C-alpha cells in the first residue's frame, strides 16, 4: 500500500507537470487575444455592430447601450458643442416618442432619469444608457424602439432646439469657476497643434446661443449612421430574441451615399520644454504637474502586448506607492503626489505626474521631488520586494474577479463591450485573462520592468504647469521648467533603499472568548451568537456573490457626548489615528503588509453611534478580522506623523474660503445653527487642526473602539459557519471589553426656528445657487418616513418636467429628505437648485408653486406610480446584494425594526396613496422652519 501511494503520488506529480507544460505552451506572446465565447459580436449588412450576452445578474433586467463612434472632435468650427447637444435632443422628441415621452415612459416602468437613464458625449464617442426591466411584456421591444429612434429618428424640431439651448447653457454654467477658467488657459497648450485643443465637448456658449438649427441637423445626418454605431445588449434575455430585435430595429438603417470620413486626429509631441503658471483668485489649492510628450498607442491585441500593459501598470503602481511613502515624512515635500498614463486623445497615450503643494513657494520643491522619483525609477529601477507586492495585489484582484465570474453584474460587461467597439480593447473573458495573469506575472522580471522605466526617456520633452490662488511670490514658468530639467541632469541621485516590514499583523494571537448563547431568526435567515465579552455576532449566508464577505458593527455612542473643548479632537479622532497607523505599521507600511490580501476594515463615529465596516474575499476572512483586532486594540502614537497630518490638512484648507460655494455653505451652516460651537464641521478651517490634541484624539478613539462591550457585529456573504465560528471567538470574542454601557447623548443642538432668508454675494462667474432647508420635529413612524421620501421623489419628477424642461432654468437639481430618530425624532427636507442670476426669482416661485400644489392637491397618480415602480425595481436589485442585507440587519439589531417592512417592501410601497403623500407634504412644510439661502455673484 505504501509503495502504491508513492507511485500514485509520482504519477500525479508527473501529470501535474505535463499539464502545466501544455498550459505554458498554449500561452504564446505572439498569440492573438481571443474573444470571450460568451459574447456574440455581429455586424449587419449596413455596417451596424452588435454585442449580445445573456447574463442573469440581476434577473429580469437588460442593459441596453447605443454607442456612436463620434463625438465633439468631429465638429466644424461653427458646430462646437453640437455633438453634446445632439445627445440632449435625443430625449426631446423622436418619430415615435413626443418630447419627454421617452423619459415619462421609462419612469413608468421604474427607470429613473439621470441615475438609470442617461447619456454622455466625449471627444470621440457618444453613449446612450438604457436599463430595461423585462418582467413586463413589451418593455424590451419598446426599449429597442427607443434605441432605434435615437439612432436615426430624432426629430430636431426648431422649437425643441431653441428650448434646449438654455438647458445646455445651464449645464455649462455648472462647470464654471476657478478650475474651469484655469483649465481653459492650460488645455490649448497641453494639446497645442492638435484639434483636441479646440473641441471640448461642452462647446462654446456663444455658438450654443445662436447657431442655425440646420447645423445640428447636419451633424446628426453626417455622423449618426449605422457604420459608426453599435447596440450592446447584456442581461436576462434569450440571445436569439435579442438578435432578432437588433435585426428588426437596425437592419433598415441606411448609410449616406457619400459618407464623411471618420477622421482620427494627431497629437504632436512637444517641440520644446515649456510651462505655464495660471492663477485665479477663487482657486483653493496649488497643484504642479508635468506632462511628457504624448505618443501613439493602441489597445493590446496579442498576449505579448497584454504583458506589456501589465508591466506598465506595475510601473505606475510602484511609483505611486513611493510617492505615498514620501507623504509619511515629518515634513513631506508635498500633500500628495501621483503619476499615470492617459490622454484625452484617441489612439494616444501620455505619461503625467504631479503633486499638490501647500504654497506657491513649495511648488518648485514638490515638482523636483516628483521628477527625482521618476529619475530614480529610470536609472535604478525598483526592488524585488516592490515588484513582488504589486504582483500579489494584481493576482489577488484577478482571482476575486474570476471567483465572482458567475455573479458579475450586466453593467460590468456592457462597459467592457463599449470599449471594445470604440477602441478595440480586447475582451477575452475573465477565465482567459486570469490564465494570462497567472502565466505572465511570474515571468515579469525586474530587468523587464526596469527596461520599461528607461523607455520613458524617449518622450523627453515636457510641459509643466502650476495652478492655484494668486500670490505675491509665484515662481516663473521657465523657472519650473528649468527646475525639472536640472533634476534630470543631476548625477547625485541615489537609489531607494527597501525598508523591512513585519509580515505578521499581530504580535500575538488574542485569547479567545466563548459563545454563551445561540439564537436563530427564521424570517431573516440569520444566526446570532452572544459572546463572553458582551459582543454579539449575527451572520447570514448568501449566494449573491461567490467570493464576498461583508462585515459591519454598530452600537450607540457617537461624538455628541463631547464638549466644545473636545470638539476637534473628537471630530478628527479617526483621521488622526488613521494617519499614525496601528501596531507596528505606519499607514503605508500596513498597505504593503496587506499586499495580495483582499481585506479591509474602517471605523466610523457618528453623532449617536459607533461603527465598523469591512469586506474580504473568502480566503482572506481571517486577515479582515486581524485588521479589525489591530485597529481596535493598537492605535499607534507617532508624533512626527501627527505633525505631518496637521501640516498637510492646514495647508489643504488654507485657501478653501476662496471658493464662492464654500463660503456660501459655511455661511448657511452658521446661520442654520446660529454659530453654536457644537455644530458639525461643514467647512474645515486651518485653525481647527491646531486645536487637535493628539493624545486626547487617541484617547477618544480608544473610548469608542478599545472597549467592545455592546458592539453588535454582522457578517453577510459567502460564509462557512465552521470557519467563521473559531475566528469570531478569537478575534471578536478576544476583543477587550468592560461592563460599561454605551449610550448616545442629545447635546441639545437644534436648527434655527422660523423662516430665515439669506443672500450671499460671492463669485466672479455668472452663476447662482438656491439652497433651502425645511426642518421640524415629528412622531416617528416608518409609514411617515416612506411618504416623506415619496414627497421628495415626486417633486424631483416635477423639477425635471417644470423647472428644467418648461422653464429651462436648471440642468440638474432637486430635493432630498432625511429622517432621524436620534438623538430626537426630526426631519430635514433639502432643496438644491443651481441656476443663473436672472432665473433665481422665477425658480423660487416655480418651486414654491410645486410645493403648494403637493400640499393642497397631492401628487398626481401618474407621478406617484412612477416613484413606486422605480422603488420596486431598485429593491429587486438591492435584495440580491450583500450590502443591503448587512445594513438592514445592522439597523434592525440596533433599532428593533419590523423585518416585514424589509422582506415585503413592495406591500408598503404599493400602499402609498396621493392622500397619504399629501399629508406627509403638509407635515414637512407646515413646521414654519425654513432657511432659504441664495448665492449670487459679486456685485460689480
Amino acid at each position: 500500500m505504501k509503495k502504491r501511494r508513492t507511485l500514485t503520488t509520482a504519477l500525479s506529480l508527473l501529470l501535474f507537470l505535463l499539464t502545466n507544460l501544455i498550459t505554458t505552451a498554449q500561452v504564446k506572446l505572439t498569440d492573438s487575444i481571443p474573444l470571450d465565447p460568451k459574447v456574440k459580436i455581429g455586424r449587419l449588412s449596413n455596417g451596424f455592430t452588435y454585442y449580445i450576452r445573456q447574463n442573469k445578474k440581476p434577473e429580469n433586467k437588460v442593459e441596453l447601450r447605443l454607442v456612436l463612434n463620434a463625438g465633439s472632435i468631429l465638429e466644424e468650427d461653427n458646430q462646437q458643442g453640437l455633438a453634446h447637444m445632439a445627445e440632449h435632443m435625443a430625449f426631446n422628441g423622436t418619430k415615435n416618442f413626443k418630447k419627454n415621452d421617452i423619459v415619462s415612459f421609462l419612469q413608468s416602468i421604474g427607470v429613473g432619469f439621470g441615475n438609470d437613464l442617461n447619456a454622455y458625449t466625449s471627444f470621440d464617442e457618444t453613449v446612450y444608457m438604457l436599463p430595461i426591466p423585462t418582467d413586463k411584456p413589451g418593455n424590451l421591444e419598446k426599449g429597442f424602439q427607443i434605441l432605434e429612434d435615437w439612432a436615426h429618428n430624432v426629430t430636431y424640431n426648431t422649437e425643441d432646439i431653441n428650448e434646449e439651448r438654455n438647458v445646455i447653457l445651464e449645464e455649462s454654467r455648472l462647470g464654471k469657476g476657478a478650475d474651469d477658467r484655469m483649465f481653459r488657459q492650460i488645455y490649448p497648450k497641453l494639446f497645442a497643434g492638435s484639434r483636441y485643443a479646440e473641441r471640448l465637448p461642452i462647446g462654446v456658449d456663444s455658438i450654443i446661443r445662436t447657431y442655425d438649427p440646420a447645423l445640428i441637423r447636419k451633424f446628426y445626418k453626417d455622423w449618426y449612421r449605422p457604420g459608426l454605431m453599435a447596440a450592446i445588449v447584456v442581461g436576462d434575455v434569450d440571445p436569439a430574441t435579442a438578435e432578432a430585435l437588433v435585426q428588426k430595429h437596425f437592419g433598415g438603417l441606411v448609410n449616406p451615399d457619400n459618407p464623411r470620413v471618420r477622421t482620427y486626429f494627431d497629437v504632436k509631441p512637444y517641440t520644446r520644454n515649456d510651462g505655464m503658471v495660471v492663477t485665479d483668485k477663487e482657486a483653493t489649492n496649488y497643484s504642479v504637474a508635468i506632462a511628457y510628450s504624448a505618443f501613439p498607442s493602441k489597445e493590446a491585441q496579442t498576449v505579448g502586448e497584454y504583458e506589456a500593459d501589465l508591466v506598465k501598470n506595475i510601473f505606475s503602481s510602484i511609483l505611486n506607492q513611493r510617492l505615498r511613502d514620501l507623504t509619511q515624512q515629518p515634513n513631506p515635500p508635498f500633500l500628495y503626489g501621483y503619476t499615470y498614463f492617459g490622454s484625452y486623445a484617441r489612439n494616444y497615450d501620455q505619461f503625467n505626474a504631479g503633486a499638490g503643494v501647500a504654497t506657491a513657494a513649495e511648488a518648485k520643491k514638490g515638482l523636483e521631488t516628483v521628477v527625482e522619483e521618476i529619475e530614480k525609477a529610470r536609472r535604478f529601477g525598483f526592488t524585488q520586494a516592490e515588484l513582488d507586492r504589486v504582483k500579489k495585489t494584481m493576482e489577488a484582484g484577478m482571482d476575486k474577479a474570476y471567483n465572482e465570474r458567475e455573479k458579475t453584474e450586466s453593467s460590468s460587461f456592457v462597459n467592457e463591450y463599449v470599449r471594445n467597439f470604440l477602441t478595440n480593447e480586447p475582451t477575452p473573458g475573465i477565465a482567459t485573462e486570469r490564465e494570462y495573469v497567472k502565466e505572465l506575472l511570474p515571468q515579469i522580471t525586474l530587468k523587464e520592468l526596469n527596461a520599461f522605466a528607461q523607455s520613458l526617456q524617449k518622450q523627453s520633452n515636457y510641459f509643466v504647469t502650476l495652478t492655484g490662488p494668486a500670490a505675491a511670490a509665484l515662481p516663473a514658468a521657465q523657472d519650473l521648467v528649468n527646475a525639472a530639467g536640472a533634476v534630470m541632469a543631476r548625477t547625485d541621485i541615489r537609489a531607494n533603499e527597501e525598508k523591512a516590514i513585519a509580515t505578521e499583523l499581530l504580535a500575538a494571537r488574542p485569547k479567545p472568548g466563548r459563545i454563551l448563547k445561540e439564537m436563530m431568526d427564521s424570517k431573516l435567515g440569520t444566526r446570532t451568537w452572544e459572546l463572553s465579552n458582551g459582543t454579539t455576532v449575527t451572520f447570514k449566508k448568501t449566494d449573491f456573490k461567490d467570493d464576498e464577505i461583508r462585515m459591519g458593527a454598530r452600537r450607540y455612542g457617537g461624538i455628541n457626548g463631547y464638549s466644545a473643548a473636545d470638539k476637534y479632537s473628537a471630530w478628527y479622532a479617526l483621521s488622526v489615528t488613521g494617519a499614525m497607523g496601528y501596531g507596528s505599521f505606519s499607514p503605508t507600511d500596513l498597505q504593503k503588509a496587506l499586499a495580495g490580501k483582499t481585506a479591509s476594515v474602517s471605523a466610523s463615529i457618528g453623532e449617536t453611534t459607533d461603527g465598523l465596516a469591512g469586506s474580504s474575499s473568502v480566503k482572506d476572512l481571517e486577515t479582515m478580522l486581524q485588521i479589525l483586532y489591530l485597529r481596535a486594540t493598537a492605535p499607534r502614537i507617532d508624533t512626527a506623523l501627527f505633525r505631518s497630518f496637521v501640516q498637510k490638512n492646514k495647508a489643504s484648507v488654507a485657501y478653501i474660503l476662496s471658493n464662492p460655494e464654500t463660503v456660501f455653505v459655511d455661511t448657511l451652516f452658521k446661520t442654520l445653527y446660529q454659530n453654536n460651537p457644537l455644530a458639525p464641521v461643514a467647512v474645515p478651517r486651518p485653525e481647527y487642526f491646531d486645536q487637535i490634541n493628539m493624545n486626547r484624539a487617541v484617547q477618544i478613539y480608544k473610548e469608542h473602539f478599545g472597549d467592545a462591550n455592546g458592539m453588535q457585529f454582522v457578517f453577510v456573504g459567502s460564509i462557512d459557519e465552521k470557519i467563521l465560528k473559531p475566528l469570531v471567538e478569537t478575534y471578536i470574542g478576544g476583543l477587550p471589553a468592560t461592563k460599561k454601557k454605551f449610550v448616545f447623548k442629545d447635546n441639545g443642538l437644534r436648527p434655527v426656528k422660523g423662516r430665515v432668508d439669506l443672500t450671499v454675494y460671492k463669485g466672479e462667474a455668472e452663476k447662482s445657487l438656491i439652497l433651502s432647508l425645511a426642518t421640524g420635529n415629528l412622531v416617528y413612524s416608518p409609514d411617515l418616513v416612506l411618504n416623506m421620501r415619496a414627497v421628495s421623489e415626486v417633486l424631483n419628477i416635477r423639477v425635471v418636467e417644470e423647472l428644467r424642461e418648461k422653464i429651462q432654468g436648471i440642468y440638474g437639481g432637486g430635493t432630498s429628505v432625511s429622517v432621524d430618530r436620534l438623538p430626537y425624532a426630526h426631519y430635514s427636507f433639502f432643496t438644491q437648485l443651481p441656476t443663473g442670476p436672472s432665473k433665481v426669482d422665477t425658480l423660487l416661485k416655480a418651486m414654491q408653486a410645486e410645493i403648494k400644489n403637493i400640499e393642497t392637491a397631492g401628487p398626481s397618480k401618474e407621478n406617484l406610480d412612477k416613484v413606486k415602480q422605480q422603488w420596486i425595481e431598485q429593491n429587486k436589485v438591492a435584495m440580491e446584494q450583500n450590502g443591503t442585507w448587512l445594513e438592514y440587519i445592522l439597523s434592525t439589531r440596533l433599532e428593533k425594526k419590523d423585518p416585514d417592512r424589509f422582506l415585503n417592501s413592495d406591500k408598503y410601497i404599493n400602499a402609498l396613496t396621493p392622500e397619504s403623500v399629501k399629508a406627509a407634504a403638509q407635515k414637512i412644510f407646515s413646521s414654519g422652519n425654513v432657511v432659504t439661502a441664495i448665492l449670487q455673484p459679486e456685485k460689480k
Side-chain angles (χ1 to χ4, degrees), residues 285-286 333-335 356-363 647-648 650-652 654-655:
N285 57 78
Y286 288 100
F334 40 65
L335 306 178
V357 294
T359 65
E362 295 177 40
Q647 178 185 342
K648 286 188 292 185
K650 287 177 65 176
S652 68
Y655 301 95

Side-chain angles (χ1 to χ4, degrees), residues 293-317:
S293 286
F295 52 93
S297 178
K298 67 180 183 68
E299 296 289 349
Q301 299 303 309
T302 67
V303 175
E305 291 168 344
Y306 183 91
E307 182 187 36
D309 281 349
L310 289 177
V311 171
K312 183 168 73 172
N313 293 336
I314 291 171
F315 170 86
S316 296
S317 296

Side-chain angles (χ1 to χ4, degrees), residues 809-828:
I810 64 170
Y811 168 70
T815 71
S816 61
V817 65
S818 66
V819 181
D820 295 296
R821 300 175 68 175
L822 303 176
Y824 66 102
H826 65 286
Y827 69 89
S828 301

Side-chain angles (χ1 to χ4, degrees), residues 579-833:
M580 294 191 295
Y582 304 89
S584 61
F585 300 95
S586 72
T588 56
D589 286 347
L590 181 58
Q591 183 182 25
K592 293 174 184 177
L594 292 172
K597 303 290 187 181
T598 305
S600 64
V601 176
S602 61
S604 62
I605 306 177
E607 293 180 358
T608 60
T609 58
D610 306 330
L612 292 158
S615 65
S616 77
S617 62
V618 171
K619 72 179 180 63
D620 291 323
L621 171 61
E622 183 169 10
T623 299
M624 177 176 70
L625 290 171
Q626 287 178 341
I627 300 171
L628 163 68
Y629 190 88
L630 184 71
R631 285 182 176 273
T633 62
R636 179 172 176 262
I637 297 290
D638 189 319
T639 54
L641 286 181
F642 173 72
R643 287 195 298 269
S644 176
F645 166 82
V646 171
Q647 178 185 342
K648 286 188 292 185
N649 279 277
K650 287 177 65 176
S652 68
V653 302
Y655 301 95
I656 197 169
L657 291 177
S658 298
N659 180 272
E661 284 85 358
T662 304
V663 173
F664 179 52
V665 169
D666 188 55
T667 306
L668 172 60
F669 261 72
K670 287 180 178 178
T671 303
L672 182 65
Y673 291 110
Q674 301 172 288
N675 292 308
N676 190 317
L678 295 178
V681 176
V683 177
R685 305 286 186 86
E687 57 269 25
Y688 294 172
F689 297 94
D690 288 326
Q691 297 179 53
I692 300 172
N693 180 290
M694 179 188 70
N695 291 322
R696 181 61 177 140
V698 174
Q699 181 184 355
I700 290 171
Y701 178 89
K702 289 179 177 179
E703 288 170 1
H704 290 269
F705 301 104
D707 186 338
N709 186 48
M711 190 68 83
Q712 303 191 64
F713 290 85
V714 175
F715 293 81
V716 177
S718 313
I719 295 168
D720 183 329
E721 181 181 347
K722 292 180 180 178
I723 294 174
L724 179 66
K725 189 173 184 178
L727 295 177
V728 161
E729 289 174 323
T730 299
Y731 296 108
I732 294 180
L735 287 169
T738 67
K739 296 298 183 181
K740 177 183 176 181
K741 185 176 181 180
F742 288 84
V743 296
F744 67 87
K745 179 180 179 181
D746 182 353
N747 63 4
L749 182 69
R750 300 290 188 273
V752 64
K753 300 290 186 182
R755 294 188 175 272
V756 178
D757 294 318
L758 170 70
T759 302
V760 175
Y761 295 92
K762 188 75 174 177
E764 178 182 329
E766 284 294 302
K767 57 191 294 188
S768 301
L769 177 60
I770 301 168
L771 298 180
S772 179
L773 192 67
T775 60
N777 297 352
L778 50 73
V779 177
Y780 183 91
S781 80
D783 283 328
L784 178 58
V785 173
L786 192 63
N787 277 279
M788 284 184 164
R789 287 178 55 209
V791 171
S792 174
E793 291 302 325
V794 169
L795 283 175
N796 286 338
I797 292 175
R798 292 297 297 154
V799 165
V800 172
E801 293 175 344
E802 190 72 14
L803 278 66
R804 172 176 162 139
E805 297 301 330
K806 185 175 179 180
I807 298 174
Q808 297 112 41
I810 64 170
Y811 168 70
T815 71
S816 61
V817 65
S818 66
V819 181
D820 295 296
R821 300 175 68 175
L822 303 176
Y824 66 102
H826 65 286
Y827 69 89
S828 301
F829 193 93
F830 182 67
T831 303
Q832 178 181 11
L833 301 172

Side-chain angles (χ1 to χ4, degrees), residues 388-496:
D388 290 342
R389 282 195 295 268
V390 174
K391 283 182 176 182
K392 289 178 183 178
T393 299
M394 294 174 75
E395 190 165 356
M398 186 59 67
D399 283 344
K400 182 165 176 56
Y402 177 77
N403 292 339
E404 298 287 12
R405 63 193 181 281
E406 301 300 330
K407 303 295 175 64
T408 303
E409 284 78 6
S410 295
S411 56
S412 297
F413 293 119
V414 163
N415 295 332
E416 186 176 340
Y417 303 151
V418 167
R419 297 191 299 271
N420 178 267
F421 174 68
L422 292 171
T423 66
N424 205 27
E425 177 184 309
T427 176
I430 189 62
T432 300
E433 195 163 356
R434 180 173 179 263
E435 179 187 353
Y436 290 165
V437 169
K438 290 283 189 184
E439 183 72 27
L440 298 173
L441 266 186
Q443 298 177 19
I444 294 174
T445 63
L446 273 178
K447 182 178 179 181
E448 186 177 359
L449 178 61
N450 296 340
F452 173 81
Q454 293 169 3
S455 73
L456 291 180
Q457 294 173 339
K458 296 175 183 178
Q459 291 82 46
S460 55
N461 290 328
Y462 53 86
F463 180 61
V464 179
T465 58
L466 171 63
T467 59
L474 283 164
Q478 192 57 49
D479 289 343
L480 293 174
V481 172
N482 293 342
V487 173
M488 295 176 194
R490 280 172 50 190
T491 59
D492 62 339
I493 295 176
R494 298 290 178 264
N496 281 2

Side-chain angles (χ1 to χ4, degrees), residues 530-567:
E530 289 185 2
L531 281 85
S532 54
N533 63 347
T535 61
T536 64
V537 172
T538 301
F539 68 93
K540 179 179 177 65
K541 179 178 175 62
T542 70
D543 59 1
F544 306 142
K545 293 283 188 180
D546 291 324
D547 193 19
E548 179 182 77
I549 297 176
R550 302 283 295 273
M551 180 202 73
R554 200 169 294 167
R555 73 175 171 204
Y556 289 125
I559 62 173
N560 274 5
Y562 295 97
S563 67
D566 275 335
K567 177 176 181 176

